[in-house]
Amino acid sequence: MGSASCKKRKQSLDRRRGKTRIYVGNHIDRWLTLKEKLDFRNDAEVAGFLLDLIVTVKEEREMPPHCSSVETDNTLVIPRGSFCMFYI
């Protein structure tokens, strides 16, 4: 009986974990490089950083030009329809 309950628990955990997975495909090397450069401990930190970055860029693009806090030497440009690519 213990074996069946262990199997059921494992399946439940696998289902939960599967709901939080994000497929990065052939961008895995870039993902891991960014994770290492930023010294993040886990993938959730990388994902949170990228989400925060996109929100910040979007908010700054929506500001009138005289209110923007982005300097011309560190402006982040994201081509429409492409994955965000930047250098740290």
Side-chain angles (χ1 to χ4, degrees), residues 12-27:
S12 174
L13 291 172
D14 286 347
R15 270 193 304 276
R16 270 181 52 196
R17 194 172 27 252
K19 290 179 182 178
T20 64
R21 290 198 175 147
I22 299 171
Y23 180 70
V24 295
N26 61 357
H27 299 286

Side-chain angles (χ1 to χ4, degrees), residues 6 17 41 55 61 82 87:
C6 285
R17 194 172 27 252
R41 294 174 300 226
V55 168
R61 284 186 170 184
S82 68
Y87 299 94

Side-chain angles (χ1 to χ4, degrees), residues 32-85:
L32 296 174
T33 299
L34 180 63
K35 181 178 169 183
E36 182 180 323
K37 281 185 178 183
L38 297 176
D39 197 30
F40 287 150
R41 294 174 300 226
N42 56 52
D43 294 326
E45 288 182 348
V46 178
F49 170 80
L50 293 173
L51 290 169
D52 291 344
L53 179 66
I54 293 299
V55 168
T56 301
V57 168
K58 184 178 185 303
E59 288 171 353
E60 291 194 358
R61 284 186 170 184
E62 291 172 352
M63 287 182 182
H66 64 281
C67 295
S68 178
S69 64
V70 176
E71 299 293 327
T72 55
D73 61 342
N74 65 359
T75 300
L76 178 64
V77 177
I78 303 173
R80 193 177 297 249
S82 68
F83 184 79
C84 176
M85 184 172 163

